[in-house]
Amino acid sequence: MHALGVATVEDAERLVQASTLSHIKIGLSDVDGVMLGKYVRRDKFLAALRGGLAFCDVVFGWDLDDQLYDNAKYTGWHTAYPDAQLRIVPSTCRRLPLEQGPGGEDMLLFLAEFDGPAADICPRRLLHRTLDRAAGMGFEVYAALEYEFFMFRETPHSVRAKHYRDMENWTPGNFGYSMLRSTVQGDFYRKLLDMCERMDMPIEGLHTETGPGVLEAAIAVDQASAAGDKAFLFKTFTKALAQQNGLMATFMAKWSHDHPGQSGHIHLSLRDRTSGRSAFYDESRPHGMSATQTAFMAGVQRYLPEFMALYAQTINSYSRLVPGYWAPLDATWGMENRTTALRLIPGSDKSQRVEVRIGSADANPYLALSAALASGLYGIEQGLEPEPMVQGNAYTQQFPEHLRLPTTLWEAAQRLRQSEAARELFGDAFVEHYAATREWEERQFRRHVTDWELARYFEII
């Protein structure tokens, strides 16, 4: 059986039993969207397919540096970090072409998600609860994510030795959509495109962007459940492929004040589960924008300030949100307008959609997708109307205070914690835990002295 044909537990069992691999890889998402996991011996893996697997819940109790949260209720020293129940998802099976077993067979990789109380804060489970809500409303959700990421001729050791300064970019200068760069560096491009095809996360478009060594990859559209997995896999294994080739890829929102930030845009559309037709397209209305799409747009716009922490989850995310750098500053929308937070893309029954442009490349794709979809569905349920459509350059216009986006992670965390809509859509357990982790991140930042502070105050003040 082909790995991409696995749909059931029985399929997964047959594939693993026929494999020569002694161990199988499983991966899961923490709250930051980092893929964690382990190798599991095949006999234990086969048992876990039906009975689940115990996994230490510390993965929801520490930060990006494995430092333990001191403000989380779900887990901590007060609970002694017990095991949580993990469920392997057979349909996520892939071959991993970057890694082979002793006999030369490509490694098998499965994604997993949490059951029990941990399911309340598991990012993948949050997305699937949101998709269940959409299904209950009669919609099938389709999504596609696109990422910008900078490439460097560095290694994990060299960037630390340099203290992340004076790093060598993969290519020099600004050269967006460069045919020259993609030809000269064609070997890596081909490896990336091939890996993504083989791992069922095909890239629809790949090109250079403005900045030294920056690429933009648009992952092909799929049902939203699969689109979330594909984005999650893409970020991890693009970095792995780069490092195997003596390079590094970064998805942080803004690595240098001299260059534009890195976005993680989300394209969303709904289709009617009964008729199969687009719920967003109505040729009789202006711009083909159906009443359903209008209310969906209104919901995303209305709750974007409250859900900002799910689109921009790090301290660094907010360094990207400055005028003139292709990043929106208010919860605005426009038709084919790349200066607004939300972009209406008119088209046909097949292509009519909404692009959520506010997200940064560092966002957890499961959470960002959940935020955009849940708020849009909420708009449909409430029959909301969007604010007037922006014409022209949104950066030069003034908007009402209620459309202003949070400008720091701390502010975003407070808006999320106080949001009644977030608690209804995502649950109290998730909101409390996630807000606490963002507050922790802000507190860790406040403990450090930045280069900017030293240069500004050391001598003069």
Side-chain angles (χ1 to χ4, degrees), residues 152-259:
F152 297 87
R153 296 188 184 279
E154 300 287 351
T155 70
H157 291 293
S158 71
V159 292
R160 286 165 172 80
K162 292 180 176 182
H163 301 288
Y164 300 94
R165 299 186 184 94
D166 301 319
M167 294 180 291
E168 181 183 354
N169 296 95
W170 188 35
T171 57
N174 297 326
F175 205 168
Y177 296 97
S178 169
M179 192 63 70
L180 176 63
R181 294 281 188 260
S182 63
T183 303
V184 173
Q185 308 296 338
D187 183 57
F188 180 80
Y189 280 76
R190 285 190 297 273
K191 288 180 180 178
L192 179 59
L193 292 168
D194 179 64
M195 178 190 73
C196 291
E197 289 289 333
R198 293 170 65 183
M199 293 186 67
D200 189 30
M201 48 184 189
I203 295 178
E204 189 174 73
L206 177 66
H207 61 88
T208 62
E209 260 290 357
T210 299
V214 62
L215 299 179
E216 179 177 308
I219 306 170
V221 65
D222 205 338
Q223 292 185 342
S225 56
D229 290 338
K230 291 178 181 184
F232 178 53
L233 290 159
F234 175 78
K235 291 175 66 176
T236 294
F237 292 106
T238 295
K239 289 186 284 188
L241 177 67
Q243 291 187 30
Q244 285 190 353
N245 286 271
L247 302 168
M248 288 192 74
T250 181
F251 288 83
M252 69 182 294
K254 194 175 179 72
W255 73 273
S256 168
H257 65 271
D258 294 324
H259 304 295

